[in-house]
Amino acid sequence: MTKVDVGGVVAAPRRRRRRVPAALAWVAVTPFVVWAVARLAGLDRWPVIVELMTGTPYVAAASLGAVLIAVASRNRAAIAVAAVTSVLMACVVLPRALGSTPTPTGPTLKILTSNLLFGSGDAQTVVDLVRRLGPDVLTTQELTPAEVEDLKAAGLGTLLPYEHLEAGEGPSGSGIFSRYPLTELPDFAPSGGHNMPSARLTLPTGRVVEIVDVHTLAPLGPDVATWQADLKSLPSPATGVIRILAGDFNASLDHSALREVLARGYVDAADATGTGLNTTWPANRRLPPLITIDHVLYDQRASALNTSVHAVPRTDHRALFAELRLP
């Protein structure tokens, strides 16, 4: 039998890449566009939207997935919209992880703030933090009379002997403890909310500082309006004094109501030091804290040197420490 060479090359058929339908790409991209618009335009004025807005850092990360889906669709419009949205979200979130260079050269002031969850936070841990970190001022929220006694029994009075307390049952109480003598200032908080004491102190250098112990209502359901009123009531920076707001704002940097406070002339210490993505609530759960609602805001004439968060047993907030440099 004769073998016949017919010539030619046998080629495998080209496999076509599967393309994501354009409609599916738009379904993936659109929610991120809506979120970005709401965040940038400050549309978080109503219940549910306010609570959801704290998830912006996670949404920013997830927006990269929408970019990949758009690329897989090969739809140029979807790709462009997804890419622009993701870049805008990154511009909102990433600066919190980038610190700025301190410029003032004056004295330092160390602040520690801790929400004690109905007075159940571990007093010994708080006092140990004061002893280790050496804050000049401790602001506390949800401070009960019993918790005051526990803190003093643990030795707080020897470390921070001066105080301006408005302790109360449940979540209403707050209190300021200081290394230096305090002068109580008039209340400014709207009625119906938590106590937010404020006080003035003078450092050994002669620099006058005002401390506001912040604890707004949580923006849940009908309390959103009161939460907004609480934030609006916070005093603005003033000439002749350096004002610091420290505590549980129940607000993240993605809330327009808090950004309005910052716009008056304040800076967020964690944001300024590149630790703005360190989360503070809810602590001591099976999952780590998810959002950042505890803050130290300072007059923009000052600067922040460093911040850190610290676990306190039996409370749902991490304590926040900030070291500031005053002008």
Side-chain angles (χ1 to χ4, degrees):
M1 185 174 185
T2 304
K3 190 174 181 180
V4 179
D5 185 2
V6 297
V9 177
V10 178
R14 296 182 62 184
R15 298 178 62 182
R16 297 183 62 186
R17 294 180 181 177
R18 290 187 177 182
R19 179 183 298 187
V20 172
L24 180 58
W26 283 112
V27 168
V29 171
T30 299
F32 295 98
V33 175
V34 172
W35 195 293
V37 170
R39 168 58 176 80
L40 295 171
L43 301 181
D44 55 326
R45 303 288 180 175
W46 302 275
V48 179
I49 299 178
V50 171
E51 294 102 53
L52 288 175
M53 195 55 63
T54 57
T56 295
Y58 302 102
V59 175
S63 69
L64 295 174
V67 173
L68 296 177
I69 293 173
V71 169
S73 75
R74 303 183 206 175
N75 183 290
R76 293 183 179 180
I79 293 171
V81 171
V84 169
T85 300
S86 190
V87 168
L88 289 174
M89 296 287 280
C91 290
V92 164
V93 172
L94 289 182
R96 299 172 207 177
L98 304 173
S100 59
T101 303
T103 52
T105 57
T108 61
L109 183 72
K110 298 178 181 179
I111 308 289
L112 180 66
T113 183
S114 180
N115 181 309
L116 299 170
L117 186 61
F118 298 176
S120 64
D122 186 66
Q124 187 62 59
T125 298
V126 174
V127 174
D128 288 344
L129 285 174
V130 171
R131 187 174 287 112
R132 178 163 60 90
L133 299 172
D136 302 297
V137 176
L138 166 67
T139 67
T140 57
Q141 303 84 50
E142 304 197 19
L143 179 70
T144 63
E147 183 80 352
V148 173
E149 295 305 315
D150 290 343
L151 288 168
K152 291 183 176 180
L156 184 61
T158 61
L159 300 170
L160 302 175
Y162 302 98
E163 60 189 38
H164 171 26
L165 307 183
E166 294 182 3
E169 298 302 331
S172 65
S174 298
I176 302 172
F177 300 86
S178 172
R179 189 180 307 278
Y180 307 109
L182 295 172
T183 300
E184 298 180 14
L185 296 174
D187 287 341
F188 61 89
S191 60
H194 303 313
N195 297 334
M196 293 198 278
S198 60
R200 177 173 292 184
L201 61 89
T202 302
L203 300 180
T205 59
R207 168 63 69 186
V208 178
V209 178
E210 285 185 7
I211 304 293
V212 177
D213 188 356
V214 178
H215 189 200
T216 69
L217 285 183
L220 302 174
D223 287 334
V224 166
T226 306
W227 168 76
Q228 292 170 336
D230 282 347
L231 290 170
K232 284 184 178 180
S233 75
L234 295 175
S236 299
T239 57
V241 65
I242 297 299
R243 188 166 282 149
I244 297 166
L245 316 179
D248 174 11
F249 289 70
N250 273 308
S252 77
L253 294 177
D254 293 302
H255 285 123
S256 59
L258 180 55
R259 295 198 302 276
E260 289 171 0
V261 176
L262 291 165
R264 297 188 218 158
Y266 287 111
V267 180
D268 181 86
D271 187 26
T273 56
T275 59
L277 295 178
N278 285 355
T279 51
T280 62
W281 185 90
N284 297 316
R285 306 286 177 85
R286 290 185 178 181
L287 294 175
L290 298 174
I291 60 178
T292 305
I293 57 176
D294 301 270
H295 306 273
V296 172
L297 307 187
Y298 59 87
D299 186 310
Q300 63 186 5
R301 293 171 294 174
S303 65
L305 299 179
N306 64 82
T307 64
S308 55
V309 293
H310 303 271
V312 176
R314 301 199 300 272
T315 177
D316 57 348
H317 286 253
R318 284 173 169 171
L320 173 63
F321 172 78
E323 183 177 7
L324 308 179
R325 176 79 71 180
L326 305 181

